[in-house]
């Protein structure tokens, strides 16, 4: 349920509504838009129904609307304007194209520093790198764990690029919060509800990837878990869903971008690397992502993909990444967009 305030409603009137909602044992989420404030009411349906008339009669309230979609706070009804998620000055959702680049896994100091310097020089705004890896087989490289996070922090200190790293459970999340600027909840954990809630209680921005067998609605409900705990800084990521063809690793669902754009105010980025599974397909899919209106890209880049400890076949070399960035800049401009520049600090 949402309470739509009158455009002229005062701050006191908004606060009075929020108090009424909380006193009834429900939680309130305030979205202060340009035109008007909307208050989301979350909790038990019966209590909401009992409160509805009283809210409708309160000063400053224009109307009370029941949200029919199963997702509430991430939906456009609650917040019609696009959300901007700020990660240490990198802005997702402001109309520009944010490029996150880096290796699948952090493997060594030299590897991550070399990659960080190169992707920054090519125009990436953020650095990625896995320290805890969700590998299909338990016998393959599982990541450098805390040491990997330390190396990412070192690369950030040198380049000024904010970093994103994955956590698969609450203990890893505590470590990622300590070293990184954004936490990735990977495709395999999209429906790990304990982790989602935990990430919601932390205030670190979240990069939430769509599960390979999840619907768009399930992705939005996963995001709702994070947001309902009070963390509004969620960026969604389409990274391919399970198809039946083996030429690509997954099938990149480009249509998820306009669909999500309609349903949610949250930014949406695309991961062409995991979708493609092969580096050659990454540049064309990246161009398509910019054209379809994605708020950014997350691309795997490695100085020596043939020696990579994970996802080698899909990683771009430093040179191939530079060439791709050189293509994306005029493409974005032709679409009236721009590629967000790397941070000035560092
Ligand atoms: C990754 O980013 O390296 C990764 C494992 O991604 P996904 O969760 O999309 O498979
Ligand atoms: Mn990977």
């Amino acid at each position: 349920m949402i309470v739509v305030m009158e455009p002229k409603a005062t701050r006191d009137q908004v606060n009075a509504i929020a108090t009424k909602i909380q006193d009834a044992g429900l939680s309130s989420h305030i979205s202060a838009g340009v035109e008007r404030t909307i208050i989301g009411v979350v909790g038990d349906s019966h209590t909401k129904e009992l409160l509805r008339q009283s809210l409708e009669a309160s000063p400053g309230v224009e109307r009370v609307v029941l949200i029919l979609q199963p997702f509430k706070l991430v939906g456009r009804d609650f917040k019609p304007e696009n959300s901007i998620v700020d990660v240490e000055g990198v802005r997702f959702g402001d109309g520009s194209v944010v490029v996150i680049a880096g290796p699948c896994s952090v493997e060594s100091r030299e590897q991550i520093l070399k990659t960080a310097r190169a992707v920054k020089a090519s125009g990436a705004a953020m650095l990625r790198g896995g320290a805890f890896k969700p590998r299909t087989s338990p016998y393959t490289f599982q990541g450098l764990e805390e040491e990997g996070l330390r190396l990412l922090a070192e690369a950030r200190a040198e380049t000024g690029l904010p970093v994103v790293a994955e956590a698969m459970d609450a203990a890893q999340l505590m470590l990622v919060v300590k070293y990184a600027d954004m936490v990735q909840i990977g495709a395999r954990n999209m429906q790990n509800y304990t982790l989602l809630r935990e990430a919601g209680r932390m205030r670190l921005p979240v990069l939430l990837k769509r599960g390979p067998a999840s619907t768009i609605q399930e992705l939005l409900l996963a995001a709702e878990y994070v947001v309902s705990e009070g963390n509004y800084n969620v960026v969604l990521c389409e990274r391919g869903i399970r198809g039946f063809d083996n030429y690509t690793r997954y099938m990149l669902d480009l249509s998820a971008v306009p669909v999500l754009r309609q349903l949610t105010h949250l930014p949406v980025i695309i991961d062409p690397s995991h979708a493609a599974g092969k580096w050659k397909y990454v540049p064309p899919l990246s161009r398509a992502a910019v054209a379809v209106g994605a708020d950014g890209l997350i691309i795997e880049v490695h100085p020596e993909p043939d020696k990579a400890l994970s996802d080698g076949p899909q990683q771009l070399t430093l040179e191939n990444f530079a060439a791709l960035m050189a293509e994306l800049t005029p493409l974005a401009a032709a679409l009236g967009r721009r590629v967000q520049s790397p941070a000035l600090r560092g």
Side-chain angles (χ1 to χ4, degrees):
M1 187 165 87
I2 56 172
V3 181
V4 181
M5 301 300 290
E6 289 166 351
K8 290 205 185 84
T10 64
R11 186 184 286 256
D12 282 350
Q13 287 172 335
V14 171
N15 290 342
I17 298 296
T19 307
K20 228 178 215 183
I21 294 167
Q22 279 146 27
D23 288 350
L26 301 166
S27 55
S28 65
H29 296 258
I30 298 178
S31 153
V34 186
E35 296 261 313
R36 58 175 87 243
T37 295
I38 296 176
I39 306 172
V41 189
V42 178
D44 173 64
S45 318
H46 184 61
T47 317
K48 278 192 289 200
E49 201 41 55
L50 291 177
L51 193 64
R52 186 176 175 168
Q53 284 194 348
S54 153
L55 291 175
E56 250 162 1
S58 302
V61 172
E62 189 178 281
R63 59 186 193 278
V64 177
V65 187
L66 287 176
I67 300 186
L68 299 175
Q69 304 273 30
F71 44 86
K72 315 288 179 193
L73 301 172
V74 305
R76 285 264 183 210
D77 290 339
F78 170 58
K79 187 169 184 288
E81 297 97 3
N82 290 341
S83 283
I84 294 179
V85 174
D86 190 306
V87 183
E88 296 295 314
V90 173
R91 288 158 61 84
F92 291 87
D94 72 353
S96 67
V97 180
V98 174
V99 180
I100 308 172
C104 178
S105 304
V106 180
E107 297 170 7
S108 69
R109 188 165 180 273
E110 194 200 347
Q111 174 240 20
I112 194 68
L113 289 178
K114 191 172 179 185
T115 310
R117 289 177 196 129
V119 298
K120 182 182 182 182
S122 299
M126 268 183 76
L127 179 66
R128 64 150 287 149
F132 299 102
K133 295 305 302 177
R135 303 305 303 283
T136 303
S137 161
Y139 307 120
T140 52
F141 178 62
Q142 304 284 305
L144 294 182
E145 305 184 342
E146 189 166 3
E147 177 57 15
L149 293 174
R150 264 190 227 111
L151 294 172
L152 276 174
E154 189 180 336
R156 176 196 40 210
E158 190 194 302
T159 59
L161 296 181
V163 301
V164 57
E166 178 162 0
M168 295 183 286
D169 61 30
Q172 294 173 6
L173 181 62
M174 296 305 285
L175 287 171
V176 170
V177 167
K178 197 166 145 195
Y179 294 99
D181 304 292
M182 185 180 214
V183 60
Q184 172 172 319
I185 296 187
R188 291 158 189 80
N189 276 301
M190 190 202 85
Q191 288 178 312
N192 180 339
Y193 299 118
T194 320
L195 181 61
L196 292 169
R197 279 202 194 279
E198 202 59 47
R201 286 191 279 266
M202 306 277 164
R203 289 302 182 259
L204 198 68
V206 175
L207 178 60
L208 179 62
K209 299 183 99 178
R210 179 180 180 185
S214 296
T215 62
I216 288 173
Q217 183 165 301
E218 285 163 343
L219 171 63
L220 288 171
L221 284 167
E224 187 84 13
Y225 267 88
V226 179
V227 174
S228 64
E229 292 291 337
N231 187 352
Y232 297 87
N233 297 313
V234 179
V235 175
L236 304 172
C237 180
E238 161 60 38
R239 45 75 78 205
I241 50 179
R242 188 74 83 182
F244 51 77
D245 202 288
N246 292 334
Y247 282 96
T248 52
R249 191 173 175 191
Y250 294 97
M251 191 171 71
L252 183 61
D253 182 9
L254 282 173
S255 57
V257 177
V259 173
L260 285 166
R261 187 71 72 217
Q262 185 187 351
L263 297 175
T264 181
H265 51 86
L266 296 176
V268 183
I269 69 167
I270 279 191
D271 175 344
S273 306
H274 288 87
K278 295 189 183 113
W279 71 268
K280 274 216 169 197
Y281 307 146
V282 171
L285 293 178
S286 302
R287 294 194 294 266
V290 173
V292 83
D295 294 299
L297 287 156
I298 178 163
I299 299 175
E300 287 192 339
V301 180
H302 194 289
E304 294 174 289
D306 55 321
K307 299 205 177 93
L309 299 180
S310 61
D311 285 350
Q314 71 197 31
Q315 306 208 52
L316 294 182
T317 59
L318 305 180
E319 298 73 25
N320 283 335
F321 178 70
L324 170 60
M325 290 302 282
E327 278 177 18
L328 293 185
T329 304
L331 174 63
L335 292 159
R337 311 183 65 194
R338 70 186 167 86
V339 176
Q340 210 173 112
S341 337
L344 290 175
R345 67 203 165 85

